[in-house]
Amino acid sequence: MAAEGAPPFFTESIIFLAATVVAVPIAKRLGLGSVVGYLAAGAAIGPFGLGFLGSGEDVLHVAELGVVLLLFVIGLELDPQKLWRMKRDIFGLGTAQVMLTGLSLYSVCHYFGFSTKASLVAGFGLALSSTAFALQILQERGQLSSAYGQRAFGILLLQDIAIVPLLAMVAILAPHEGPSRGADIAIEIATIVGAIAAVVLAGRYLASPLFSFLAASRAREVMLTAALLVALGSAGIMHAVGLSMALGAFLAGVLLAESSFRHTLEADIEPFRSLLMGLFFVAVGMSLDFSVLLDNLGTILGAVAIVMLVKGAFLWALTRGSGSSNSDAFRIAVTLPQGGEFAFVLFTAAIGARILSYETVNLLNSVVILTMLLTPLACLGLELIAAKLKQKGVENPAIETFEEATPTVLVVGFGRFGMTVAQILTSEGLEVRAIDNRPDRIAYARKLGFKVYYGDATRADVLAAAGAGKAALIALCVENDRVMGQSIDLIREGFPNALVFCRATDRAHSLELTRKGVDFQIRETFESSIAFGKVALETLGTPVERIQQIEEDVRKRDEERLALQLKEGIFAGADRLHSVTPRRRSTDIQPTETVG
C-alpha cells in the first residue's frame, strides 16, 4: 500500500540537501569557499530562481540558530581574560569603524535623496558586517586565531553589540503617540541588566555543576542536550528583552570557556552549528530577488561598490593606524566589507516603524546579499596577489606570531602518570593541554592548578577541539588499553603530523603498541621497578659499579625478550629472566693489577 504522502518538510529537506551537495563542492573546487556555494544553491532553488521552494524568510528564522551556535562556540574559545585583553579592538577599533562608516554611508544616502531618518537607518545598517560570513571565511582558512583574525573578531563583536542601540534608534525615530517614554525606557534598561545578570550567574555557578552531574552518567546524548539548552537558553533570554540572540549565546560561551567541559561542548555543538550555518546561507541566497536586481541593476551595483569601498577603506585605515601590518590591514578590509545579517533585522524594524518602504528595503537587501557574495571573491583575489608577491620575494611571513612557533603537547589522561608528565613539560615552559573523562579527577587536578578539560579520547571531534591538530606531540597516558588503541587509530588518521607517546600498562600492551608503530612507549612500572631494585642492591652493600653493570644487562635482556615475544608470542624468551649478570673482566683482574 502506497504511503499517503511525505510531510512538507521532508520534500524541502531533500531539495536543500541535494542543492548543497551539488553547489558547495563545485564552489570549493573553484576556490570560492563553501559560503558562495550555499548562496548559489539558495538562489537556484529559491522563489526567484527555479522556484522549487517558497520564501526563504521562514527558513531564515530557523537558520539564524546557526549564527547563535557559532557565537557560542566562539565564546568557548575566549576566556574572560583574553576577552579583556581585546577591549581596545572591541570598544575602540570596533566603535570607530561603526561610527565612521555609518556616518559616511548616511551622507551618501542623504546625498541621493533619502530622508534624514531613512539615511540614518540605511547608513548604519550597511555599516554592520556579517558575523556569519566573516567568521566562516576565517575558520575555513584557519586564520581565526591569527593576529588579524582576532582583530576582525573584535570588530564583529562590537557590531553585534551595536544592533541594540541601533534598534533603539529606530524606535526613537518612529512617530510616537501617548505619554512620555522616560519610565518605559528605565524599565527596559532594568530588564536588560537583569537578563544579562541572569545569564552571567547561571553560566558562572550553575552550568559547570550541571555538566559534572551529567558527565557522571556517561550518557553522551544528555550532555549534547544540555549543551544545546545552555546555548539556546541564553540566546532566548537575551532575545526576550530585545537583545541579540547571538550576543546572549556568546556571553554563555565566554562564561564556560574556563569550564573543564569546554572542548566536549565545542565538539558536541559543531555538527549542529555547521548544518544550521549552511542553512542560513542558503536562506539568504533564496532571498535574492532577481527581478528587483535586474530592474535596478545600475543602482544596486553602484551601491555595492560604494559600500564595499567605503567600509574597506575605513577598515584598512583604522587597523593600519592602530598598529596592524599593511598585509593584516588589507586582510581585514577584504574580510569585513560586506553587509550583515543584522541589517535584515534593522531594515525590517524600520518598515514596521514606517521609516523605510518595502521597495527601498528590497533594494537594500539586494545590496547586502551581493556584498556577501562578493566578499569571498575579494578574499580569493587578495590571496592570489599575496601569492604572487611572495613568489617575487616581497613578503614571506613564515611565522606570524610567537604562539605559532611554540610547540604544544596534548596530554590525554590526567591521573598520577599524566600529571607527572605535564609537570615535566611545563617545567620547560611548553604549552600543555590536557583532557580526561573522569570529573572527579579533573576537579582534583584543577585544585592543584592544572587546566584539565573533560573529553573522550575515542572521539576525533573532541581531540580536534582540544588542539590535536596543532599539537607537536600527543601523550596518551590513559589506563584503558582499548581506549588507547582506538585513540591511536584516530590520531594516525586525523592528525598524522603529531608524535604519539604512550604509557603501556604492561608487557602485552607494550608489544601491542610496538606493533601499532607509536613513536615512543614505556611500561609504567618498568622504570620504577628498576629504580626500586637499584636502591635495594645498594642497601645490601653491592658496589655502585656493579649496580650499573646489572642495570645495563637487565635492560639489554629485556629488549631481547621483547624482540622474541613479537615473533613467537608472550611466553618466548623466558630464559632471559633468570640469567646472572656476568662480571666484567676488569673486575676479575683487579687483584693482579693491585699486586703488580
Side-chain angles (χ1 to χ4, degrees), residues 104-176:
S104 298
L105 293 177
Y106 156 79
S107 302
V108 172
C109 292
H110 201 272
Y111 176 80
F112 283 103
F114 280 61
S115 68
T116 300
K117 293 181 179 180
S119 297
L120 280 172
V121 175
F124 279 93
L126 293 172
L128 303 179
S129 302
S130 173
T131 301
F133 270 71
L135 292 184
Q136 183 83 359
I137 291 171
L138 289 170
Q139 285 187 329
E140 284 186 354
R141 286 164 168 72
Q143 297 296 318
L144 186 56
S145 60
S146 66
Y148 93 88
Q150 291 293 289
R151 301 206 81 183
F153 176 71
I155 296 172
L156 290 169
L157 183 56
L158 187 280
Q159 292 178 356
D160 285 345
I161 298 172
I163 190 61
V164 179
L166 289 178
L167 287 172
M169 178 186 74
V170 171
I172 292 172
L173 293 175
H176 285 280

Side-chain angles (χ1 to χ4, degrees), residues 72-73 75-78 211 220 223 227 253 256-271 409-412 431-436 442 446 451-457 459-468 470:
F72 179 70
V73 172
L76 287 174
E77 297 175 355
L78 288 175
F211 286 118
R220 178 183 173 185
M223 289 284 288
L256 287 170
E258 288 293 307
S259 166
S260 57
F261 300 94
R262 163 187 166 185
H263 298 307
T264 297
L265 290 174
E266 184 179 347
D268 284 339
I269 290 290
E270 182 61 27
V409 177
L410 174 61
V411 177
V412 180
E431 179 186 354
V432 175
R433 301 180 182 182
I435 61 173
D436 199 289
I442 294 171
R446 287 197 160 226
K451 285 191 176 181
V452 186
Y453 300 94
Y454 180 84
D456 184 353
R459 289 177 55 186
D461 54 352
V462 171
L463 290 172
K470 298 179 181 179

Side-chain angles (χ1 to χ4, degrees), residues 217-436:
S217 68
R218 300 295 178 93
R220 178 183 173 185
E221 65 279 3
V222 177
M223 289 284 288
L224 172 58
T225 303
L228 290 171
L229 176 63
V230 169
L232 299 182
S234 302
I237 292 174
M238 291 299 186
H239 181 66
V241 297
L243 295 177
S244 162
M245 288 195 299
L247 188 61
F250 173 77
L251 181 59
V254 170
L255 293 170
L256 287 170
E258 288 293 307
S259 166
S260 57
F261 300 94
R262 163 187 166 185
H263 298 307
T264 297
L265 290 174
E266 184 179 347
D268 284 339
I269 290 290
E270 182 61 27
F272 293 90
R273 181 203 70 78
S274 300
L275 184 61
L276 287 171
M277 283 296 294
L279 187 61
F280 172 82
F281 297 134
V282 171
V284 170
M286 291 173 62
S287 303
L288 182 60
D289 190 336
F290 291 104
S291 61
V292 173
L293 180 63
L294 293 176
D295 292 341
N296 303 274
L297 186 60
T299 301
I300 292 175
L301 291 180
V304 167
I306 291 172
V307 169
M308 296 189 74
L309 288 174
V310 168
K311 191 181 292 187
F314 276 119
L315 286 166
W316 178 85
L318 289 170
T319 52
R320 188 77 176 97
S322 58
S324 291
S325 65
N326 191 48
S327 61
D328 279 359
F330 272 117
R331 287 171 177 171
I332 294 173
V334 299
T335 304
L336 306 182
Q338 75 288 126
E341 55 273 1
F342 288 124
F344 301 135
V345 177
L346 192 68
F347 297 155
T348 302
I351 291 176
R354 301 194 299 276
I355 297 174
L356 294 175
S357 66
Y358 281 102
E359 293 76 12
T360 302
V361 169
N362 282 335
L363 290 174
L364 292 174
N365 285 346
S366 297
V367 171
V368 171
I369 293 172
L370 283 182
T371 57
M372 289 179 174
L373 183 61
L374 292 174
T375 296
L377 300 178
C379 292
L380 180 62
L382 182 64
E383 285 187 355
L384 293 175
I385 294 173
K388 290 183 178 180
L389 291 176
K390 186 175 180 180
Q391 289 177 354
K392 295 179 180 179
V394 175
E395 186 175 359
N396 186 22
I399 297 175
E400 294 189 0
T401 62
F402 176 75
E403 287 76 12
E404 293 179 7
T406 304
T408 62
V409 177
L410 174 61
V411 177
V412 180
F414 213 76
R416 293 168 296 177
F417 191 96
M419 188 180 298
T420 304
V421 170
Q423 183 181 1
I424 293 291
L425 296 172
T426 54
S427 297
E428 175 59 17
L430 298 177
E431 179 186 354
V432 175
R433 301 180 182 182
I435 61 173
D436 199 289

Side-chain angles (χ1 to χ4, degrees), residues 503-554:
R503 162 200 189 177
T505 54
D506 54 28
R507 196 172 194 85
H509 189 208
S510 178
L511 293 170
E512 178 187 349
L513 295 175
T514 302
R515 294 187 183 97
K516 282 185 173 292
V518 300
D519 297 290
F520 176 78
Q521 54 87 13
I522 187 170
R523 281 164 283 157
E524 59 183 350
T525 57
F526 184 70
E527 294 298 327
S528 57
S529 300
I530 291 285
F532 188 99
K534 287 167 62 179
V535 174
L537 288 174
E538 185 178 356
T539 304
L540 293 173
T542 306
V544 174
E545 294 81 2
R546 174 62 177 167
I547 293 175
Q548 293 174 348
Q549 183 182 354
I550 291 172
E551 180 184 358
E552 292 174 4
D553 182 55
V554 169

